[in-house]
Amino acid sequence: MNFKTIDTLFLHIKKLIMILVFISLFLSVVYFIYWLIVSMKITLPDAINNILLIPVDFLKSFFKNAPELKDMMFLLPVAVSLVFIILTYILNCVLQYVEFSHRNYQKYVEDYKANLEAKINTQLKKNFVQELEKTEFFATKLKVEAESPKSYLKQSLTDEEKAELENKIIREISDSLNFDLIVRKGTGASDAYFICKEPKNASEFYATLVNKTIKIINKYINERVKINFYCAVDVFDTAYEANFKLIELDKIIDIRVKNKILVAPRFKTFFRELYPGYFTFKLLGEYNFSKNTYKSNYINIYTLHRRSK
């Protein structure tokens, strides 16, 4: 439906009616002045007089067979003026009707577009949710880092001792998590990863992960050592994507935000749409992971929090 063409047609019609109103009003004034001039016996040029007499003669033809009205013929210019006044009023009424119809049409167009937009958005939302429902896995990458402050009173840990401690902590964390939903896990020198199915159970998994990680880390914190952990999470569709997802999580961990779980955009979108009561998210910032100045790839990273009850 070409709404713009119809709207333009309404505008042209209103413009035409306004022009006719102006002409009709102008002629009504002209014939009233003409009557005054004729009444004062002022002679006008024949060309002007002949033009002005056209509607007067047309009106006179209706009364030529009425002898009782012959004495009233001098009032015919006033009658013509009155006819144009009535025509002006009628044209004004038509203009108001067209204006009213135009407003109703514009409202119809706005309602139609709003309903169409809502319908499209609903369908897009439905398709979007259906796409999200294909998500079957979520990945977690965890890294620990031991720091040994330099002090004249206490002997600092060597790099070998710190690496050994990091490896020990990460293995304890990995061994402490034995959920049925974990389909694959592994450890490195100072990091561990977990590939899990059934994202709907992620809330319980992360609550346990945080509690056990904090408990294990606190066990090894003392005056000689401080331990931080870094964590990143995301969701994905198929098991084939797991390795690529872990590489992406490494990039997020490299932001190096201590003691928080960092969330990729899709993880946040997934739980906001399908499981809105599970987590709350706070925007950490916008980061460029492309590593290229000529090709930027900025994405929002969030921090994961338990929903307060």
Side-chain angles (χ1 to χ4, degrees), residues 34 37 42-53:
Y34 176 65
I37 292 173
I42 299 174
T43 305
L44 293 173
D46 291 340
I48 297 175
N49 201 48
N50 291 336
I51 293 174
L52 293 175
L53 283 175

Side-chain angles (χ1 to χ4, degrees), residues 101-119:
S101 300
H102 191 199
R103 286 198 299 268
N104 284 344
Y105 172 74
Q106 289 175 324
K107 185 177 183 305
Y108 164 78
V109 172
E110 290 175 2
D111 291 344
Y112 176 83
K113 289 182 177 179
N115 292 333
L116 183 61
E117 182 179 356
K119 186 177 179 180

Side-chain angles (χ1 to χ4, degrees), residues 26-42:
F26 174 76
L27 290 175
S28 68
V29 174
V30 166
Y31 275 96
F32 182 77
I33 295 172
Y34 176 65
W35 172 73
L36 291 176
I37 292 173
V38 171
S39 299
M40 289 184 290
K41 309 297 183 181
I42 299 174

